[in-house]
Amino acid sequence: MKALRQTSPLRQRMIDDMTLRNLSPQTRENYVYHVARFAKYFSRSPEVLGREEIRTYQLFLIHVRHVSWAYFNQTVCALRFLYRNTLKKEWAVEHLPFPKKPKKLPVVLSVDEVAQFFTSVTNIKHRAMLMTAYSAGLRTSEVTHLRVKDIDSHRMLIHIQQGKGRKDRYVMLSPTLLELLRAYWKAERPNHWLFPGQDPAQPITVSSVQQACKRAATNSGISKQVSVRTLRHSFATHLLESGTNVRIIQMLLGHRSLLTTARYTHVSAETINSTTSPLDLLKSDRGQST
């Protein structure tokens, strides 16, 4: 672990390499975490470890830890970056076969359930945060990093700066949300960050937003698992059900691929219910075959 402590030259060199390649702060943090776990497993610096140790660690993650596909894949990506870019090893970090990531449909609330959810949020700051997430389909990190000046009431837009993939985008500003944000601003008087943390110089943390959402879900009595991501999924699905073009939804969500956005067609009740079953196409006078 020595080589991955905060004062470690190797750790700093890896962080510098990731910064130069414009990796997001969250990715940099995740990569350092996974490399540190790898080093801790062998109690040695990654500089003295090689392909056999990487393979051993991958097998440990699969057969002993039973980690998720996402965790395993991120570990491989972190080690691949370390050895390829920082340690300049010519050999590649192989990706051992791993069970296919299960394709689960996102949890979506109905419009009535969304209303029920927001009714349970009494704290005006929490209500403003969560309603912003739903009304604009934002990721949790995008909500936390909103600044007061990102709310453009003249053009009725919200400016999302450096979202996932380090991309900027604009999303609509709901008149209902604007009314709430104005009431929130009068009550809390945020200065720079729209939703500041305990230290006003810093934005509220992702975990704080998630905890507020969890409390609201419990108080609402909704049986579904509700998270900020659920609000984002519901935003996209409700837009699709109201007839919004899927490419516009893609742009609003900040998706790189249309395929990612298209999955909401699988959970849209309107899309499914408007599709006629082939059973109903059968002629009623044909009768049953004898």
Side-chain angles (χ1 to χ4, degrees), residues 46-221:
E47 291 180 286
V48 299
L49 302 174
R51 283 180 290 186
E52 282 306 310
E53 287 81 7
I54 293 172
R55 179 181 173 82
T56 298
Y57 186 63
Q58 285 181 304
L59 291 171
F60 163 74
L61 292 179
I62 295 171
H63 299 303
V64 180
R65 287 281 312 281
H66 304 291
V67 299
S68 66
W69 180 90
Y71 187 102
F72 179 81
N73 187 58
Q74 197 166 70
T75 299
V76 172
C77 291
L79 294 175
R80 188 173 288 159
F81 185 94
L82 171 71
Y83 284 99
R84 179 183 294 171
N85 297 287
T86 302
L87 294 177
K88 307 296 183 186
K89 299 294 183 182
E90 294 183 2
W91 42 266
V93 175
E94 297 178 0
H95 200 307
L96 292 184
F98 193 87
K100 220 179 226 189
K101 184 180 179 181
K103 293 184 179 179
K104 295 182 180 179
L105 293 176
V107 175
V108 171
L109 302 179
S110 69
V111 173
D112 288 341
E113 285 173 329
V114 171
Q116 180 182 339
F117 172 82
F118 285 126
T119 300
S120 70
V121 188
T122 54
N123 181 290
I124 191 169
K125 182 177 181 180
H126 294 170
R127 186 177 176 85
M129 290 188 312
L130 297 172
M131 196 169 281
T132 299
Y134 170 71
S135 71
L138 304 187
R139 301 176 177 94
T140 313
S141 60
E142 292 171 345
V143 173
T144 61
H145 284 84
L146 281 175
R147 301 169 302 172
V148 172
K149 67 179 184 179
D150 292 330
I151 307 301
D152 187 343
S153 59
H154 295 290
R155 300 172 64 205
M156 295 302 289
L157 295 172
I158 301 176
H159 187 194
I160 310 302
Q161 298 197 50
Q162 297 294 287
K164 189 173 182 180
R166 313 281 292 210
K167 295 182 294 184
D168 287 9
R169 73 183 190 279
Y170 284 97
V171 295
M172 71 284 234
L173 172 59
S174 156
T176 303
L177 176 64
L178 178 59
E179 184 179 347
L180 173 62
L181 289 177
R182 282 174 170 162
Y184 158 68
W185 187 86
K186 287 178 182 178
E188 300 286 337
R189 297 285 175 172
N191 184 20
H192 176 69
W193 299 108
L194 183 60
F195 304 115
Q198 291 184 338
D199 177 2
Q202 298 296 325
I204 192 169
T205 63
V206 166
S207 62
S208 294
V209 179
Q210 292 170 336
Q211 287 168 12
C213 185
K214 187 176 180 180
R215 283 194 297 272
T218 301
N219 294 337
S220 71

